[in-house]
Amino acid sequence: DTSDGFRGDTFASNTSHTLKMFYLERGNYDSSLSVRFNLQPELYQQVKKVDQDGNPVEGAVFDLYPVTATRAASAEAATLENVTYSTDEAARLTSVTTRKDGTAQFRDGTQPFNFADRITDSVASQLFVLHERTAPAGYRMMPVDILMRFDRETGTFVVNNRYDTGAY
């Protein structure tokens, strides 16, 4: 990576750039312009916390941690019992706090948190642990951490321990 936001001859992930286009109309009906882009919009992975009645819960704080090792043969087979992770402050990737609508977007500073760039061929790199650090007044914290598997093809998460946590 270089300081100008490039990785090789392409823009590095998690960098923002401005595209400015200037067009001079040369005549009333004598000019035309057609522009097509394959630029991708910023995609945010997010969580949503609701209560037992489906109402959004504001103010829940979640920390995201990487899985450092797994004894599972595949990411789909991973459970909290066969993965290694740390909830130490130094290991935390990011934190999110749910808003009034119960949602919280994963961010890395001002940019969307890029999960796809963290995935390698390693099974552990596909797995993340979501730990509820703080629950709002009147709510219990989740008793078990959520083990999430990021699917690079669909850009979505699958909760590996959904039957233990009730999260999906």
Side-chain angles (χ1 to χ4, degrees), residues 47-50 57-65 87 89 92 94-99 102-106 129-137 139-142 144-146:
V47 294
K48 182 173 185 178
K49 183 169 175 83
V50 296
V57 175
E58 180 182 13
V61 179
F62 292 93
D63 293 330
L64 184 73
Y65 297 95
T87 56
E89 182 72 21
R92 186 177 71 206
T94 190
S95 292
V96 295
T97 303
T98 57
R99 297 182 296 255
T103 64
Q105 295 176 334
F106 290 103
V129 172
L130 192 62
H131 172 76
E132 187 171 17
R133 179 174 15 129
T134 307
Y139 292 93
R140 275 188 320 141
M141 284 189 4
M142 293 191 66
V144 178
D145 290 337
I146 299 171

Side-chain angles (χ1 to χ4, degrees), residues 23-57:
Y23 174 69
L24 177 62
E25 178 65 45
R26 296 180 357 155
N28 195 17
Y29 296 102
D30 295 333
S31 297
S32 61
L33 173 71
S34 176
V35 179
R36 290 179 58 183
F37 294 100
N38 66 349
L39 301 173
Q40 299 295 314
E42 292 182 326
L43 299 176
Y44 292 92
Q45 280 78 26
Q46 66 181 12
V47 294
K48 182 173 185 178
K49 183 169 175 83
V50 296
D51 64 15
Q52 66 273 13
D53 297 320
N55 300 316
V57 175

Side-chain angles (χ1 to χ4, degrees), residues 14 93 108 113-120 125-126 128 152:
N14 292 327
L93 297 172
D108 190 4
F113 193 88
N114 192 330
F115 288 93
D117 280 356
R118 296 177 178 277
I119 306 299
T120 65
S125 76
Q126 302 169 38
F128 298 88
R152 189 190 312 216

